Amino acid sequence: MLGRMFRDWSLNAIIHAQSGRPIDLSGVFGNVTSEDGVPFGLRPDLVPAQPLYIDDGSVPGGRRFNAAAFTEPPLTESGQPVRQGTFGRNILRELPLYQVDVALGRSFKFTERMGLQLKAEAFNVLNHPLFSRYGLSVSNPNTFGVPTSTLNVGLGGLNRLYQLGGPRSIQLSARFSF
């Protein structure tokens, strides 16, 4: 009797963990037009001994970018940059992403051909918010590096409830097969 009660159960989990996505800072000081008329985003210079991130409990995620770590590269008298800035690509990153989704199910066989499957799925079980759309205006240090929305809003497409970064949600399902 006890064996029948504990058989045909399934437990599934998906753990999504990744480092933060890279942020491109080309153009934070505006776009510049080269001498041949081609516009391009000017990369900033990195200020030595300044941290890229600042811990700040008043912003979502508790961490923001440090506007004091970046400065505009030197310009000629005509306003053209002498060179691209010293800050490279993909150095600055968003906050890390992680989410746990879990499903628990049970199958019942009535006959050889007929069966029932019941399943409960929980998305973002830890209800951990994932942030996106960071403010990239160095001229406004109050919003620079501060996330403005959650990741599920920025991804587009599917229902925001079930996307990476959405609020905790639970889905129940029943499937009868014959």
Side-chain angles (χ1 to χ4, degrees):
M1 179 68 177
L2 219 53
R4 291 181 90 181
M5 193 165 76
F6 289 111
R7 78 172 169 216
D8 297 326
W9 285 90
S10 64
L11 176 65
N12 305 309
I14 297 174
I15 299 171
H16 182 105
Q18 74 181 59
S19 63
R21 300 178 303 175
I23 302 255
D24 187 17
L25 287 184
S26 65
V28 295
F29 289 106
N31 289 323
V32 179
T33 304
S34 66
E35 292 176 2
D36 57 355
V38 177
F40 65 92
L42 183 63
R43 293 195 177 285
D45 272 345
L46 187 59
V47 176
Q50 284 287 338
L52 294 177
Y53 306 97
I54 299 173
D55 290 331
D56 184 352
S58 67
V59 301
R63 187 175 81 168
R64 64 183 308 147
F65 305 149
N66 182 8
F70 307 100
T71 186
E72 190 171 11
L75 302 175
T76 63
E77 289 181 18
S78 64
Q80 291 296 321
V82 174
R83 58 173 170 71
Q84 272 285 11
T86 58
F87 191 71
R89 291 184 68 226
N90 300 336
I91 294 174
L92 196 63
R93 296 193 167 263
E94 295 178 347
L95 293 168
L97 307 175
Y98 64 89
Q99 179 171 309
V100 178
D101 301 333
V102 177
L104 177 65
R106 171 107 193 254
S107 297
F108 301 93
K109 270 213 172 274
F110 300 126
T111 66
E112 189 174 311
R113 296 179 125 192
M114 289 180 23
L116 176 68
Q117 182 184 38
L118 302 175
K119 189 181 275 190
E121 298 171 303
F123 303 94
N124 196 3
V125 173
L126 304 175
N127 203 26
H128 176 71
L130 302 175
F131 298 105
S132 180
R133 295 187 181 169
Y134 288 73
L136 296 179
S137 175
V138 177
S139 61
N140 189 350
N142 293 330
T143 61
F144 179 69
V146 176
T148 59
S149 70
T150 54
L151 183 62
N152 67 324
V153 174
L155 291 175
L158 303 171
N159 185 331
R160 293 178 183 171
L161 195 60
Y162 303 112
Q163 287 192 36
L164 191 63
R168 179 186 307 129
S169 58
I170 297 174
Q171 170 178 293
L172 303 173
S173 65
R175 183 179 121 187
F176 181 70
S177 57
F178 54 94

